[in-house]
Amino acid sequence: MRDDIVTYIDAWHAAGVTDAVGDGPANWFALVDQRRATLKSADAKPAAPPAELRWAPASVSPVVRPAVAPTAASAQAHATAAAAQSLDDLLRQIEAFEGCGLKATAKSLCFYRGAPKARLMLIGEAPGRDEDIAGKPFVGRAGQLLDKMLAAIGIDESKVHITNTVYWRPPGNRTPTPEETQACAPFVTRQIELVEPDVIVLLGGVAAKSVLGLTEGILKLRGKWRALSVAGREVRSLATLHPAYLLRTPAAKRQVWQDLQLIAAALAT
Ligand code: URA
């Protein structure tokens, strides 16, 4: 009996099924096709998502970001970021910015990957080694997993704008310090204003804490819609687990799959 079970699991594993993401069977191919069709056709009326996945503004908690005392670096970033009229302008301002110490040790500035304007914007933690070499966010193993996660809901690079809380790789891939994220935050805020997303997804605790100004751990923060006010516009934001965490903890893919369904449903409305 035990041998049968092992053979059965091995067969699934060989077919590429490596993790359990739910209790019941699901037709993933049908879901992907449905999302693709919805995103392709501007006229298509998407099927209403199940009630528990619907975006209900009344039940969404607005984010009240605590006032953070500006540092000299963040005040300078704020002044220059506010003047940027386009992403190209903003890139030039970030290139000229000397208020984030990470710039001194990084090889490249990693600004964004994907579309300049997008309904979906993802904000991760910080560039790693692969990103520093390529000069783009999320191109290493975590980025490849992220692309697969997005593909599962019918999203490719042409429909998403991907960036980080800081634009330079922290030495040795350490976590960026609150001072480093705070120094870059005015640029990230201006980037959000210029991209004009409808939905912002915060990948991991550092992004969730930096952008939302909340202090709880990511396992508590994830999976809930929060209304973020950006330049007078209300943007839906959702924190989820970081793909690098999923590489270390594949069982957590189940929670992220739930979050991806929330994101897909929000984009369909
Ligand atoms: N992890 C991140 O948070 N961002 C990247 O760009 C790459 C890995």
Side-chain angles (χ1 to χ4, degrees), residues 15-217:
V17 180
T18 54
D19 301 287
V21 294
D23 294 327
N27 183 348
W28 307 112
F29 296 110
L31 191 69
V32 173
D33 288 347
Q34 185 195 328
R35 297 287 176 232
R36 281 211 181 108
T38 304
L39 290 163
K40 254 192 206 140
S41 157
D43 305 330
K45 289 255 178 305
E52 70 279 12
L53 295 185
R54 269 181 230 149
W55 161 249
S59 68
V60 170
S61 32
V63 178
V64 183
R65 294 201 223 177
V68 181
T71 58
S74 70
Q76 188 205 338
H78 187 79
T80 55
Q85 294 307 311
S86 66
L87 287 174
D88 286 347
D89 264 5
L90 189 64
L91 174 59
R92 279 189 286 275
Q93 306 285 11
I94 301 170
E95 280 167 345
F97 182 59
E98 297 297 339
C100 177
L102 296 175
K103 186 178 177 181
T105 49
K107 182 172 172 287
S108 343
L109 189 170
C110 302
F111 189 28
Y112 76 89
R113 171 162 87 80
K117 294 258 180 217
R119 290 191 62 211
L120 176 63
M121 177 164 180
L122 306 187
I123 306 179
E125 181 177 313
R129 182 175 175 273
D130 293 325
E131 290 72 24
D132 191 36
I133 292 169
K136 278 184 182 186
F138 281 103
V139 294
R141 279 183 71 221
Q144 284 156 20
L145 176 58
L146 180 63
D147 286 349
K148 285 188 194 154
M149 288 157 53
L150 293 172
I153 54 166
I155 304 240
D156 63 25
E157 233 193 27
S158 69
K159 298 196 178 69
V160 63
H161 183 100
I162 305 174
T163 192
N164 281 303
T165 58
V166 293
Y167 299 101
W168 298 275
R169 177 196 183 196
N173 291 354
R174 67 159 168 77
T175 304
T177 63
E179 290 71 28
E180 288 158 354
T181 54
Q182 197 192 347
C184 294
F187 293 116
V188 176
T189 302
R190 186 68 187 133
Q191 193 170 347
I192 298 172
E193 289 169 7
L194 292 166
V195 174
E196 296 184 293
D198 293 330
V199 173
I200 295 181
V201 175
L202 304 159
L203 300 167
V206 171
K209 287 175 195 170
S210 163
V211 176
L212 302 175
L214 301 174
T215 52
E216 292 107 312

